[in-house]
Amino acid sequence: MRTRVLAAVIAVTAALSVSAQSQAAEPLQSLVPVPVSVQSKSGVTHTLTAASKIYTAPAARDVGTFLAGVLRPSTGYALPVSDTTTTPSDGISLLLTGAPAAVGQQGYQLDVAANAIVLRATTPEGLFAGVQTLRQLLPAKVESTTVQAGPWTVPGALIVDHPRFSHRGAMLDVARHFHPVSTVKRYIDQLALYKINYFHLHLTDDQGWRIVVDSWPRLATYGGSTQVGGGPGGYYTKAQYSEIVQYAASRKITVIPEVDLPGHTNAALASYAELNCDGQAPPLRTDIEVGYSSLCVNKEITYQFVDDVVREIAALTPGPYFHIGGDEAHSTSDADYQAFMDRALPIVKKYGKTALGWHEFAKTTTDTATMPQYWGTSTSNAVVQAAAARGHKVIMSPANKAYLDMKYNSSTPLGLSWAGLIEVQTAYEWNPGTHLSGVPESAVHGVEAPLWSETLVTAQDIEFMAFPRLAAIAELAWSPWSTHNWDQFKTRLGAHGPRWTTMGINFYRSTQVPWETGGPGPGPCTQPAWERDKVYTGGNVVSHNGKKWTAQWWTRGEEPGTTGQWGVWRDGGVC
């Protein structure tokens, strides 16, 4: 078995190391996240036509319907979806039988032949993951909402794939700036494309409370009435929140609600004076300061409040988790913090949920079912290390690697920089299984990419900060570490530029990534290939990633088009 797995990994790595000398990369060499095993079928393609059909196992009809919904607008084809209990010899089949055991509960096998495409998994979730891979094997224009010209060809291949971590998450903060249901749904669609399966919704903070709680109505109507910088704020009705939950479920994504406690609670404290120790409601806040607010730990009404909030939100949330925050409670003493968690964590458990929280809370409990989310910037943390030693599983979200709201560089117009500047390579070049001392891969439950919204007002703002780094974190969470290679990843990532452009995603065009334009491929490069260790002087022309580059002055190791911040290369265009 080990020999076969190693051979598969070597095959993938070899396939992906092909030099990107074309503007339109081969689809099998452009998959993100990179699959466990890819075997190409030389000379084989499958072409979708007006006569193509989609067949599904009855229990996976919704996955077939989703796939048809992606393909119909751009192809103009009817693509009828029908149930099957056999293996059809034509069209696209989504089957819950015959998948190799290695795919587990979330993986898939995708077999593309000339006559048919057969996708197999053991669960609908696995089939949905496979559908995302199939999308990437089709031309980028398949994502268009209007009819495009074909042909709609898929390269012949046998792909066997399964995730490294079962928990692959992304968080959106709707508390600092409120984002309407339509924006949240759009982001969910974008997460699904990269096999994210948990959506953490940060619903409450100092600047706003974003969900109706019937037993405490002013939380939404007053606590939700503003946001960072002022403005009208907003909140979700219970029906709207349920709409988000159901929409995510249709993309095989589980929602994790977060109510941040006992700090980050100014919106709640402003809404109800009785939650304050002095009985006085503070004013609403629209700045971005942290660490100053706290529920009154010694008042019994505080725990009635927590009980009501958890009960009402948990009832709307079918997923297994409830996130209780717990971070930056600087105005709460250690004793009060412990006392609060001693009361709050059993409430979460009472309503059938497993408590997640920012890693600080792990010091308060020995219940190893609870899960700390590491957000620190160091590679050592005594609280998390002790929790892992006790048997807690950890979600990895180091702020200086995984926070999507950090600026790319000092001139990025959005975002913050307190955790550092995070270019795409920085987001990709860390190992969740070894990043934190004393937390081995066996203790890592998964990876999450948080996106805080202090500076993010629109859907376009969200996209600019999330893309392309979300794809980098998604690959860390899904793909085997043995396939991790920045030089290969950046080329595969660059091939997604035309897809994101077609989808209208406002992505950051990092200079570290050789972005494809979707235009015709370049001609052959006659110039010598760039060599990292060679000394170049002004006037030397080389080829790299299908382009001609001229050295501006002496350089060694500065890669054309990626580390050009010193201006050492001039882009001469495609060969």
Side-chain angles (χ1 to χ4, degrees):
M1 173 60 76
R2 184 179 178 186
T3 302
R4 291 201 299 273
V5 170
L6 181 59
V9 169
I10 291 172
V12 173
T13 304
L16 294 171
S17 64
V18 177
S19 179
Q21 296 298 314
S22 168
Q23 280 292 89
E26 291 298 322
L28 288 173
Q29 298 166 16
S30 305
L31 296 173
V32 176
V34 64
V36 172
S37 171
V38 179
Q39 299 176 33
S40 63
K41 298 180 180 180
S42 179
V44 175
T45 59
H46 180 90
T47 302
L48 297 183
T49 70
S52 294
K53 299 176 182 178
I54 297 174
Y55 306 95
T56 72
R61 181 69 180 257
D62 63 325
V63 183
T65 301
F66 172 87
L67 176 59
V70 172
L71 301 179
R72 284 170 180 160
S74 55
T75 64
Y77 301 156
L79 295 168
V81 180
S82 59
D83 292 347
T84 185
T85 55
T86 63
T87 304
S89 59
D90 67 313
I92 303 173
S93 299
L94 311 180
L95 309 178
L96 292 171
T97 57
V103 305
Q105 293 295 298
Q106 296 184 15
Y108 62 91
Q109 175 185 279
L110 178 60
D111 190 350
V112 180
N115 62 311
I117 296 173
V118 180
L119 180 59
R120 298 181 185 273
T122 60
T123 64
E125 290 75 17
L127 289 176
F128 191 82
V131 161
Q132 309 318 310
T133 298
L134 177 58
R135 289 171 74 176
Q136 293 186 23
L137 293 178
L138 283 156
K141 60 187 176 182
V142 80
E143 306 293 345
S144 176
T145 57
T146 59
V147 175
Q148 305 293 307
W152 303 104
T153 58
V154 184
L158 178 64
I159 298 174
V160 179
D161 199 13
H162 52 84
R164 178 185 183 188
F165 297 109
S166 62
H167 188 115
R168 304 172 304 282
M171 187 213 81
L172 180 63
D173 168 19
V174 296
R176 269 52 178 271
H177 278 100
F178 179 69
H179 295 280
V181 172
S182 59
T183 296
V184 175
K185 285 182 172 181
R186 180 173 171 85
Y187 195 46
I188 287 170
D189 280 336
Q190 294 162 359
L191 300 179
L193 184 61
Y194 292 96
K195 301 181 175 68
I196 298 298
N197 64 343
Y198 283 94
F199 179 50
H200 173 183
L201 198 55
H202 184 81
L203 290 164
T204 71
D205 216 297
D206 289 313
Q207 298 83 5
W209 186 285
R210 306 303 183 198
I211 186 169
V212 166
V213 177
D214 292 333
S215 50
W216 299 75
R218 276 176 56 84
L219 291 172
T221 58
Y222 185 70
S225 66
T226 191
Q227 58 189 16
V228 168
Y235 59 86
Y236 306 120
T237 66
K238 285 188 169 181
Q240 289 173 324
Y241 175 77
S242 294
E243 183 182 350
I244 291 170
V245 169
Q246 291 163 14
Y247 191 82
S250 74
R251 273 69 178 153
K252 307 306 178 188
I253 293 173
T254 300
V255 170
I256 302 172
E258 180 186 352
V259 175
D260 206 344
L261 304 168
H264 288 277
T265 47
N266 191 75
L269 298 172
S271 301
Y272 287 95
E274 58 266 41
L275 296 177
N276 297 271
C277 287
D278 62 3
Q280 300 295 313
L284 293 168
R285 295 279 291 255
T286 62
D287 57 4
I288 63 171
E289 292 300 314
V290 298
Y292 57 84
S293 61
S294 179
L295 293 171
C296 189
V297 172
N298 298 319
K299 279 189 169 183
E300 193 59 29
I301 195 170
T302 293
Y303 304 102
Q304 184 60 55
F305 164 79
V306 174
D307 193 286
D308 288 337
V309 168
V310 173
R311 170 177 52 81
E312 292 194 32
I313 297 176
L316 301 172
T317 311
Y321 301 122
F322 195 104
H323 202 296
I324 49 84
D327 63 319
E328 298 176 322
H330 303 320
S331 63
T332 310
S333 69
D334 286 348
D336 280 354
Y337 188 83
Q338 180 71 56
F340 177 82
M341 290 297 174
D342 285 345
R343 296 286 301 272
L345 292 176
I347 291 172
V348 173
K349 193 171 185 178
K350 178 173 75 168
Y351 291 111
K353 303 300 180 186
T354 296
L356 290 126
W358 303 108
H359 68 257
E360 293 96 318
F361 96 99
K363 65 188 176 186
T364 69
T365 179
T366 58
D367 180 359
T368 56
T370 63
M371 210 174 300
Q373 182 171 356
Y374 178 67
W375 65 277
T377 58
S378 70
T379 56
S380 178
N381 184 277
V383 169
V384 182
Q385 184 173 346
R390 290 196 301 270
H392 294 259
K393 297 295 187 181
V394 180
I395 296 173
M396 294 297 297
S397 301
N400 57 339
K401 303 290 185 181
Y403 271 29
L404 301 180
D405 56 295
M406 290 297 107
K407 291 177 178 289
Y408 294 96
N409 54 54
S410 59
S411 62
T412 305
L414 299 170
L416 304 176
S417 58
W418 60 265
L421 303 174
I422 306 179
E423 251 290 0
V424 186
Q425 186 171 0
T426 302
Y428 185 75
E429 294 258 86
W430 64 286
N431 185 349
T434 61
H435 182 76
L436 200 55
S437 176
V439 182
E441 179 150 343
S442 59
V444 176
H445 183 65
V447 183
E448 180 183 289
L451 183 55
W452 302 96
S453 70
E454 286 94 338
T455 67
L456 310 183
V457 181
T458 67
Q460 290 70 35
D461 293 345
I462 290 171
E463 292 163 5
F464 185 79
M465 299 307 283
F467 288 88
R469 292 179 294 192
L470 175 73
I473 302 299
E475 176 150 311
L476 288 177
W478 179 279
S479 302
W481 181 250
S482 56
T483 63
H484 188 85
N485 183 294
W486 163 249
D487 287 329
Q488 294 167 5
F489 173 73
K490 70 182 181 185
T491 300
R492 287 185 284 110
L493 184 64
H496 288 240
R499 190 170 303 272
W500 295 345
T501 299
T502 299
M503 298 176 75
I505 294 175
N506 179 38
F507 67 97
Y508 165 65
R509 288 163 172 78
S510 170
T511 58
Q512 293 185 336
V513 179
W515 297 106
E516 286 185 12
T517 63
C525 286
T526 58
Q527 297 78 15
W530 168 74
E531 298 175 45
R532 182 177 297 276
D533 294 328
K534 185 174 179 181
V535 176
Y536 292 96
T537 56
N540 283 11
V541 181
V542 300
S543 63
H544 183 61
N545 284 339
K547 287 187 174 185
K548 296 175 290 187
W549 302 87
T550 302
Q552 300 287 73
W553 58 73
W554 176 92
T555 180
R556 175 189 287 157
E558 292 286 343
E559 184 174 358
T562 59
T563 53
Q565 62 265 41
W566 304 113
V568 296
W569 293 102
R570 185 173 73 244
D571 186 348
V574 298
C575 296

